[in-house]
Every structure is written in structure tokens, then in C-alpha cells.
Amino acid sequence: MSDLVRFGVSLNSDLLKKFDEHIKKHSYSNRSNAIADIIRDQLIEQEWVSNEIVTGVITIVFDHHQRGLSNNLTNIQHDHHDLIISSQHIHLDHDNCFEIIVVKGHSNELKELCNKLKAAKGVKHARVNLATTGQKV
Ligand code: NI
């Protein structure tokens, strides 16, 4: 873990008031943690753009009764096994399945994988959420 560094921030009082409301709403213990989160969010956006290796989850909801869909989704995942760390299948209710797929790779490949899953007939929802440690690889 890297050293903690203190630095001063000058802010307009109205903006600081809004920021403190944001901190309260999101249950941050202090301003430093909130600022660190905002910086990490900005970094992950840059990594998306610069195509760095990132990690994340793809979540999908799909129709359990759609003929051939389970097989289709499994085949897509096997075609991209190098991007997939693990997956979990949840039988959400009588008609719907929910799958959480933990992924790692170039952000454009992860987005492409999510799009392929989304395009399969019977998939009702597909979303990719990426995360970063902030470290370069
Ligand atoms: Ni199921």
C-alpha cells in the first residue's frame, strides 16, 4: 500500500456544502474517502477509454423458458473463457434466471462480450460494471 499524502483543497462554499450533503447521503466516514472514490471513478473512466486491463462483473437476466438460450449463453462464455474468472447462476423465480459473470480483460473485449450476451434471444437485461484498483498493469 502506498503512503498517505495530505494536500489542501480550495472550494467554493456552496460546492463544499453540496459535497458534504453528498458525503452524508452516501455514508462516507470523511471527506478524504469521498474524494478518493471520486478520483477512482475518474480513473476507471480513463481506463475504459485507454483500453487498460480492468476487472468487473457482467450481470444478465434471461428467460428460463427460452428454447436453447442456456446452451447459447454457455457457448458464448466458453468462446471467451480467457476473459471469465467465475460465474454464478441464480434461479430468480419460476420464469427468470440471473447470472453474475466475473470478468477481467481489456475493457473493449468485456463490453463486446456483454453485447454478445445481450443480443442472445431471450436475454432481458445485460450490463457490464467495471472496477479498478487504480494500479497500472
Ligand atoms: Ni435458472
Side-chain angles (χ1 to χ4, degrees):
M1 180 144 179
S2 55
D3 294 337
L4 277 178
V5 179
R6 278 181 171 272
F7 66 98
V9 179
S10 303
L11 275 184
N12 169 302
S13 61
D14 285 348
L15 189 58
L16 182 60
K17 198 177 160 199
K18 282 181 187 165
F19 186 55
D20 283 341
E21 283 164 10
H22 169 84
I23 288 171
K24 203 174 164 189
K25 196 170 149 194
H26 293 271
S27 306
Y28 284 109
S29 53
N30 56 52
R31 285 176 180 156
S32 295
N33 287 344
I35 289 170
D37 250 17
I38 289 167
I39 292 170
R40 273 192 290 267
D41 279 352
Q42 288 291 311
L43 291 176
I44 188 73
E45 273 181 32
Q46 277 178 25
E47 285 173 12
W48 271 79
V49 172
S50 64
N51 195 25
E52 303 271 340
I53 298 281
V54 290
T55 188
V57 289
I58 294 173
T59 51
I60 53 175
V61 174
F62 59 93
D63 183 352
H64 167 66
H65 303 291
Q66 179 69 47
R67 204 181 170 88
L69 180 57
S70 271
N71 246 339
N72 193 2
L73 293 174
T74 302
N75 287 339
I76 294 169
Q77 291 183 56
H78 273 275
D79 286 345
H80 299 278
H81 64 87
D82 51 322
L83 301 175
I84 298 174
I85 296 169
S86 79
S87 68
Q88 184 174 20
H89 182 108
I90 295 118
H91 308 300
L92 205 55
D93 55 36
H94 185 260
D95 303 313
N96 295 292
C97 298
F98 180 55
E99 227 163 87
I100 302 164
I101 306 158
V102 180
V103 289
K104 186 178 180 184
H106 289 289
S107 57
N108 62 347
E109 290 176 315
L110 302 181
K111 283 190 276 186
E112 200 178 306
L113 171 58
C114 183
N115 287 338
K116 279 184 187 167
L117 294 166
K118 196 181 209 167
K121 193 179 175 195
V123 173
K124 300 174 176 181
H125 159 99
R127 175 170 248 165
V128 62
N129 248 304
L130 299 183
T132 184
T133 60
Q135 284 185 323
K136 294 283 179 191
V137 287

